[in-house]
Amino acid sequence: PNPAKDDLVVVREFVNPKDAPIVAAAIAANVDYLVSGDRRFLEETQRVPGAPLCLTPRQLLDTLDL
């Protein structure tokens, strides 16, 4: 789903503006996980209220016990 403009404004306060649509869409879609190899993205996303758990690919595999 497309995130609401108000949600984008809030998310932009915590993450790089170019990443805000991704995080806001994940929140709107109520996903369980976001996966990224970008350390900055991982750290910033943790600060966003209501954001899904953001993990590295390895962390996701460990979490899913694969």
Side-chain angles (χ1 to χ4, degrees), residues 15-28:
V15 300
N16 185 313
K18 70 179 181 71
D19 294 331
I22 296 165
V23 177
I27 293 169

Side-chain angles (χ1 to χ4, degrees), residues 38-56:
D38 182 336
R39 290 271 177 214
R40 180 192 46 77
F41 180 80
L42 294 167
E43 292 170 5
E44 290 178 351
T45 302
Q46 291 177 4
R47 297 190 305 251
V48 178
L53 186 58
C54 194
L55 305 170
T56 65

